[in-house]
Amino acid sequence: PHAEAMGEYLHKELATIPGIKDIRGKGLMIGIDLDRDAGPVRSELVNTYRIFTGSAAKKQTIRLLPPLNITQNQLSSLIDSLKQILD
């Protein structure tokens, strides 16, 4: 139930960020399609915000697979970071 609730929160918040074209997945296992190459975004997430994300075969996609016990505050940090980068 926790992972499902956090996944719903993450989906809802990510959908408000300009630059995100599509969000897919179940629970906390999420793929985020951007309107640009995800490589520089992933680099900035890890180098500036210390947030590690996965890559995908499609160069515009960021993969998320956080621990199932992730908190809403931790997810908010990711969301805020993406808003800063994609603005």
Side-chain angles (χ1 to χ4, degrees):
H2 175 75
E4 186 177 339
M6 292 298 98
E8 287 175 14
Y9 166 75
L10 186 56
H11 272 259
K12 182 181 77 125
E13 294 298 318
L14 289 173
T16 68
I17 301 174
I20 294 180
K21 290 174 50 176
D22 189 32
I23 306 156
R24 61 187 179 285
K26 184 169 176 132
L28 287 168
M29 189 168 59
I30 295 175
I32 304 168
D33 287 340
L34 305 178
D35 63 358
R36 64 194 79 179
D37 186 351
V41 175
R42 291 181 64 241
S43 292
E44 190 166 349
L45 280 171
V46 77
N47 294 325
T48 304
Y49 300 98
R50 301 295 183 235
I51 297 172
F52 181 78
T53 60
S55 61
K58 218 170 112 177
K59 70 178 187 173
Q60 296 88 0
T61 301
I62 293 175
R63 288 179 41 228
L64 300 179
L65 188 55
L68 298 180
N69 64 345
I70 195 165
T71 66
Q72 188 166 332
N73 283 343
Q74 291 168 321
L75 290 175
S76 292
S77 292
L78 167 66
I79 292 159
D80 293 341
S81 301
L82 282 171
K83 284 179 180 176
Q84 290 292 318
I85 295 167
L86 296 174
D87 187 22

